Each structure stands twice: as structure tokens, then as C-alpha cells.
Amino acid sequence: MPKIIDHDQRRRDIIEVAKRLILQGGFEAATMRSLAAEAGFANGALKHYFPGKESIIAATFQSVLAEIDPRQLLDEEAPPPDRDPVAYLREAIDTWLPSEEHEINAGRVLLVLWEHAASNGELAELYRQFFANWGELIARLLRDARRDLPALSQADLTRYALEIRSVVIGANVVNLMHPDGQHIATYGAYVDDIIRRVTSPT
């Protein structure tokens, strides 16, 4: 009886190998030859799953974005009725600040691939959409946090959402060189300051 091959799982396995190689040696380390060897394939066998390195890198980029997608890290995109919306906003941001090894590693792979994505229109658009969706989520959480206060203008919502994303991205980048998390508390203080400003009645 012929062996049944799970092609989707094979693709996921190859993507995980690509992440591992990028972590170990950067973008240049993920050659088709090294990918095949690390994944246990014969030379040329990767083409059964991906047409070339570019498609593997694109799939790896998509995988990392899915892994760090802020919407996936929340139980719900809006606070449940019995939850304090300000506390929920703070807890949501906490989930986006890197603290676990796999979160730091995902940020490291993404940083390596950012430069490649900047010169690839399809990947750049993928990241822009990710960034926009994240901003929309933050804006919803900000509106919820001010439900007993006058509504913020769209310009203020946009500004605060960008400020929060910038703090989170900064924390992820800094943590690449300080994986012990020594600066996370400082970034947490930045977040507390933003939330105080957002929830201030004036």
C-alpha cells in the first residue's frame, strides 16, 4: 500500500526549517540546498512543495506574521461585559510584549525578513495589511477603554494606536539583543503612560 504523504504538513515542516536556519545564520543561510539537507530531503525534492526559495521565504514570512498576529493572541477582540475595559487593554498589550523564547525568536526571524519584504511588493503589502489590522484592533480597544468618557477623535485614535504599535515593535527589536527581558519593564511603563493619557477625562 503506497505511503500517504501529508503535503500540507511537509510544507509546514519546511517552513519551520527555514525559520531555524534564519535564526542560526540569517537570510543567506536558508539556501535551497541547506533547506533540503536540514529537512531531510534529496536535492531538488523541495520543488514538490515550493517552486523555489522565494516562495519558501514568502510562506515563512506569512507564518511568522500569523504567529505574532495580535488578534490571535487575544481570547476576544473586545472585553467581555464583566471585564474592566482599561485592564483588558493593558492585558492585551502585555500579550504583545515579548517575554517567551518563541516570541523573541519569531521577532528575530521577522526582523531578518523585513529587509527582504521591503523590496518585495507582495510581502510589503502583506505586512502593511497586518499593521493596519493591528491598528484597527487597538482603536477598538481604545474606544472601549473610554466608553464612560468623551469619544476620542479619529486622529487621536490613529495617533495612540500608532504609538502603542511603535512601543511594542521597539520592545521586540530591543529584546533581540536583550533576550533576558531586562527592558520589558521599561516598555511596560511606556504603555502605562499611554493608557493614563488615553483614559484621562481631559
Side-chain angles (χ1 to χ4, degrees):
M1 183 175 179
K3 182 179 179 181
I4 298 175
I5 297 175
D6 185 339
H7 292 277
D8 289 337
Q9 184 58 53
R10 286 284 181 88
R11 291 186 184 93
R12 288 191 290 270
D13 292 342
I14 293 166
I15 289 168
E16 290 306 310
V17 168
K19 291 178 187 177
R20 199 157 60 240
L21 289 173
I22 289 170
L23 279 172
Q24 293 169 356
F27 183 79
E28 294 77 11
T31 64
M32 291 297 281
R33 183 179 296 276
S34 64
L35 283 164
E38 187 75 12
F41 289 95
N43 286 339
L46 290 182
K47 293 186 181 296
H48 293 301
Y49 305 99
F50 293 99
K53 178 178 176 178
E54 191 68 28
S55 62
I56 296 175
I57 294 303
T60 302
F61 190 69
Q62 290 175 311
S63 176
V64 173
L65 289 183
E67 187 177 340
I68 65 173
D69 187 338
R71 297 170 298 177
Q72 301 296 327
L73 299 176
L74 287 178
D75 293 331
E76 301 181 59
E77 290 191 14
D82 60 341
R83 293 290 304 279
D84 174 12
V86 176
Y88 191 80
L89 170 64
R90 184 65 176 86
E91 290 169 17
I93 298 171
D94 277 342
T95 68
W96 307 333
L97 294 172
S99 58
E100 304 294 334
E101 183 179 3
H102 74 275
E103 295 168 340
I104 296 169
N105 286 341
R108 183 174 288 116
V109 174
L110 182 61
L111 187 63
V112 170
L113 295 181
W114 259 342
E115 182 178 3
H116 179 70
S119 59
N120 181 303
E122 184 178 344
L123 297 189
E125 179 56 31
L126 189 68
Y127 185 77
R128 284 192 289 268
Q129 189 59 56
F130 167 87
F131 196 73
N133 290 340
W134 188 10
E136 290 171 6
L137 171 59
I138 294 172
R140 288 199 297 274
L141 296 177
L142 290 172
R143 281 193 291 266
D144 289 332
R146 282 187 62 92
R147 64 187 178 188
D148 297 325
L149 297 169
L152 291 172
S153 68
Q154 186 58 49
D156 283 338
L157 280 172
T158 299
R159 178 170 57 83
Y160 280 125
L162 180 58
E163 188 173 356
I164 289 170
R165 282 173 290 176
S166 297
V167 168
V168 172
I169 291 171
N172 276 274
V173 172
V174 167
N175 233 37
L176 299 184
M177 295 300 177
H178 300 88
D180 57 356
Q182 70 183 84
H183 295 294
I184 291 299
T186 301
Y187 280 98
Y190 294 158
V191 170
D192 289 336
D193 179 65
I194 296 170
I195 292 176
R196 276 194 295 271
R197 285 184 276 128
V198 168
T199 57
S200 170
T202 56

Coordinates of all heavy atoms in Angstrom, one line a residue, residues 16 23 29-30 37 42 47 69 83 87-88 92 98 100 109 119 124 135 142 148 154 161 174 183 188:
E16 N 9.3 25.6 9.1 CA 9.9 25.6 10.4 C 11.4 25.4 10.2 O 12.2 26.0 11.0 CB 9.4 24.4 11.3 CG 7.9 24.7 11.7 CD 7.8 26.0 12.5 OE1 8.6 26.3 13.4 OE2 6.8 26.7 12.1
L23 N 17.3 31.8 12.0 CA 17.7 32.1 13.3 C 19.2 31.9 13.5 O 19.9 32.6 14.2 CB 16.9 31.3 14.4 CG 15.5 31.8 14.7 CD1 14.8 30.8 15.6 CD2 15.6 33.1 15.5
A29 N 21.6 32.0 5.1 CA 21.7 30.6 5.5 C 20.6 29.7 4.9 O 20.8 28.5 4.8 CB 21.7 30.5 7.0
A30 N 19.5 30.3 4.6 CA 18.3 29.5 4.1 C 18.4 29.3 2.6 O 17.6 29.8 1.8 CB 17.0 30.2 4.5
A37 N 18.7 19.7 3.0 CA 19.5 18.9 3.9 C 19.0 18.9 5.3 O 18.8 17.8 5.9 CB 21.0 19.4 3.9
A42 N 16.1 15.0 -0.5 CA 17.1 14.9 -1.5 C 17.1 16.3 -2.2 O 16.1 17.0 -2.3 CB 16.8 13.8 -2.5
K47 N 11.1 21.1 -4.5 CA 10.3 21.7 -5.6 C 8.9 21.0 -5.7 O 8.0 21.5 -6.3 CB 11.0 21.6 -6.9 CG 12.2 22.5 -7.0 CD 12.8 22.5 -8.4 CE 14.1 23.4 -8.5 NZ 13.8 24.8 -8.2
D69 N 0.3 37.5 15.2 CA -0.9 38.3 14.9 C -1.5 38.6 16.3 O -2.0 37.8 17.0 CB -1.8 37.4 14.1 CG -3.0 38.3 13.6 OD1 -3.4 39.3 14.2 OD2 -3.7 37.9 12.6
R83 N -15.7 42.5 32.2 CA -14.2 42.9 32.4 C -14.1 44.4 32.3 O -14.7 45.1 31.6 CB -13.4 42.2 31.3 CG -13.3 40.7 31.3 CD -12.4 40.3 32.5 NE -11.1 40.9 32.5 CZ -10.1 40.4 31.7 NH1 -10.3 39.4 30.9 NH2 -9.0 41.0 31.7
A87 N -8.3 47.6 32.0 CA -7.5 46.5 32.4 C -7.3 45.5 31.2 O -6.2 45.0 30.9 CB -8.0 45.7 33.6
Y88 N -8.4 45.4 30.4 CA -8.3 44.5 29.2 C -7.4 45.0 28.2 O -6.6 44.3 27.6 CB -9.7 44.3 28.7 CG -9.8 43.2 27.6 CD1 -9.9 41.9 28.0 CD2 -9.8 43.5 26.3 CE1 -10.0 40.9 27.1 CE2 -9.9 42.5 25.3 CZ -10.0 41.2 25.7 OH -10.0 40.2 24.8
A92 N -4.1 43.2 27.0 CA -3.9 42.9 25.5 C -2.5 43.3 25.1 O -1.8 42.5 24.4 CB -4.9 43.6 24.7
P98 N 7.2 40.9 24.1 CA 7.9 39.6 24.1 C 8.4 39.2 25.5 O 9.0 40.0 26.2 CB 9.1 39.9 23.1 CG 9.4 41.4 23.3 CD 8.0 42.0 23.5
E100 N 8.4 35.3 26.1 CA 8.8 33.9 26.0 C 9.8 33.7 24.8 O 9.9 34.6 23.9 CB 7.6 33.1 25.7 CG 6.4 33.2 26.7 CD 6.8 32.6 28.0 OE1 7.7 31.7 28.1 OE2 6.3 33.1 29.1
V109 N 13.2 36.4 13.5 CA 13.0 35.9 12.1 C 12.3 37.1 11.3 O 12.7 37.3 10.2 CB 12.2 34.6 12.1 CG1 11.8 34.3 10.6 CG2 12.9 33.5 12.7
S119 N 11.6 45.1 -0.3 CA 11.9 45.2 -1.8 C 11.0 44.2 -2.5 O 11.2 44.0 -3.7 CB 13.4 44.9 -2.1 OG 13.8 43.6 -1.6
A124 N 5.5 43.2 1.2 CA 5.4 44.5 1.8 C 3.9 44.8 2.0 O 3.5 45.3 3.1 CB 6.0 45.6 0.9
G135 N -3.7 48.0 14.0 CA -4.2 49.3 14.4 C -5.7 49.4 14.6 O -6.1 50.1 15.5
L142 N -9.2 50.9 22.4 CA -9.1 52.3 23.0 C -10.5 52.9 23.2 O -10.8 53.5 24.2 CB -8.3 53.2 22.1 CG -6.8 52.9 22.0 CD1 -6.1 53.7 20.9 CD2 -6.1 53.2 23.3
D148 N -16.9 55.4 29.1 CA -17.5 56.3 30.1 C -17.0 57.7 29.9 O -17.3 58.6 30.8 CB -17.3 55.8 31.5 CG -18.0 54.4 31.7 OD1 -19.0 54.2 31.1 OD2 -17.4 53.6 32.5
Q154 N -10.9 60.6 15.5 CA -10.3 59.6 14.7 C -8.8 59.9 14.7 O -8.0 58.9 14.7 CB -10.9 59.5 13.3 CG -10.3 58.4 12.5 CD -10.6 57.0 13.1 OE1 -11.7 56.7 13.5 NE2 -9.5 56.2 13.1
A161 N -3.0 54.6 18.5 CA -2.7 53.2 18.0 C -1.3 53.1 17.4 O -0.7 52.0 17.6 CB -3.8 52.9 17.0
V174 N 14.5 45.6 20.6 CA 15.4 45.7 21.7 C 15.7 44.3 22.4 O 16.8 44.0 22.7 CB 15.0 46.7 22.8 CG1 15.8 46.7 24.0 CG2 15.1 48.2 22.2
H183 N 14.6 45.0 29.6 CA 14.0 46.2 29.3 C 12.5 46.2 29.2 O 11.8 47.2 28.9 CB 14.6 46.8 28.0 CG 16.0 47.1 28.1 ND1 16.5 48.1 28.9 CD2 17.1 46.5 27.5 CE1 17.8 48.1 28.8 NE2 18.2 47.2 28.0
G188 N 6.9 48.5 29.5 CA 5.6 48.4 30.2 C 5.2 49.7 30.8 O 4.0 50.1 30.8

